[in-house]
Amino acid sequence: MANRTPLIAGNWKMNKDHLEAVHLVQKLDWALKDAKHDFSAVEVTVLVPFTDLRSVQTLVDADGSQLSYGAQDLSAQVSGAYTGEISPVFLEKLGVKYVAVGHSERRQYHGEDDALVNAKTKNALAHGLVPIVCVGEGLDIRKAGEQVSYTLAQVDGAFEGISAEDAAKVVVAYEPVWAIGTGEVATPADAQEVNGAIRARLAELYSAEVADAVRVLYGGSVKSSSIAELMAEPDVDGALVGGASLDPEEFAKIARFQA
Ligand SMILES: O=C[C@H](O)COP(=O)(O)O
């Protein structure tokens, strides 16, 4: 890996109310502090439900924690008559750093397409948030051996019309849908094949410098037992962790993959 700081991001999905969130963040923070985790060597963030954000912000500020936190989605709009939507302005005011965009569960259950993912990515960037753009193929595409072309088409869609300066700030998460929540983690070679292709596509779309700056994560059943070998691949710059991020000890172990 070049000079990219690895990012370990926990996606809580629709788990933990605001009271449970405080306990979980506190335990995670203690586990990392006990282990003298070096946040400048491996960044750690948690993507929590919207309703947890204010509590997590208060806790992180009060404890002087080096954990950052983020949201799991945002609106493509900024304000107005969009019932149920959450503006990037609200997220920015809550100290949010990262926001997941186009997670496969949003694509599958909420019909989010590449155009909407692109609009949300632009909206996040316009308001100082770092989008974690999620891409990845389903089992049928994998069985047909088309995982690279399918995923690169999603990358093309997400980055459409985004400047090189902004593109360099984006995080991409490759999450093969067949590996999400199934316990079936992709092999390091599987992850490297697509992550490497994503970086090569960014070099084509922009430049080697932009491709070198973008962190490309892997997600899908990541555990402390599998993270080190995934991170050994040159184009895996971190992980987007679902289920295992709900266990603070396990998630801290994942963040400490270098130890
Ligand atoms: O955003 C996270 C991914 O969907 C992975 O979830 P998982 O670690 O539970 O498989």
Side-chain angles (χ1 to χ4, degrees), residues 149-162:
S149 57
Y150 181 91
T151 304
L152 292 185
Q154 290 181 324
V155 169
D156 291 346
F159 281 86
E160 178 80 44
I162 291 178

Side-chain angles (χ1 to χ4, degrees), residues 110-128:
H110 300 271
E112 295 199 5
D113 59 11
D114 289 338
L116 185 57
V117 171
N118 177 246
K120 289 186 173 188
T121 302
K122 286 175 175 161
N123 213 17
L125 288 163
H127 293 89

Side-chain angles (χ1 to χ4, degrees), residues 7-13 15 43-48 72 103 105 132 134 173-175 179-181 185 217-224 226-227 230-231 238-248 250-257:
L7 173 64
I8 302 295
N11 175 10
W12 292 4
K13 308 192 177 185
N15 294 293
E43 216 187 322
V44 187
T45 196
V46 286
L47 310 182
V48 307
Q72 300 169 13
H103 190 279
E105 287 147 18
I132 300 178
C134 304
Y174 168 55
E175 299 208 304
I180 295 178
V185 64
L217 315 184
Y218 166 79
S221 297
V222 171
K223 305 241 174 337
S224 60
S226 53
I227 185 69
L230 287 161
M231 291 302 296
L240 183 53
V241 183
S245 71
L246 299 173
D247 174 343
E250 171 68 0
F251 189 55
K253 271 193 206 165
I254 293 172
R256 299 194 41 71
F257 67 91

Side-chain angles (χ1 to χ4, degrees), residues 23-35 223-225 243-257:
H23 291 297
L24 180 45
V25 170
Q26 218 156 30
K27 282 184 181 163
L28 174 60
D29 202 30
W30 286 336
L32 290 167
K33 275 182 181 153
D34 277 354
K223 305 241 174 337
S224 60
S225 54
S245 71
L246 299 173
D247 174 343
E249 297 294 334
E250 171 68 0
F251 189 55
K253 271 193 206 165
I254 293 172
R256 299 194 41 71
F257 67 91

Side-chain angles (χ1 to χ4, degrees), residues 12 16-31 52 55-56 59 63 67 246-248:
W12 292 4
K16 306 295 174 188
D17 63 36
H18 71 289
L19 300 172
E20 294 167 328
V22 167
H23 291 297
L24 180 45
V25 170
Q26 218 156 30
K27 282 184 181 163
L28 174 60
D29 202 30
W30 286 336
D52 296 357
S55 308
V56 170
L59 178 69
D63 286 2
L67 277 169
L246 299 173
D247 174 343

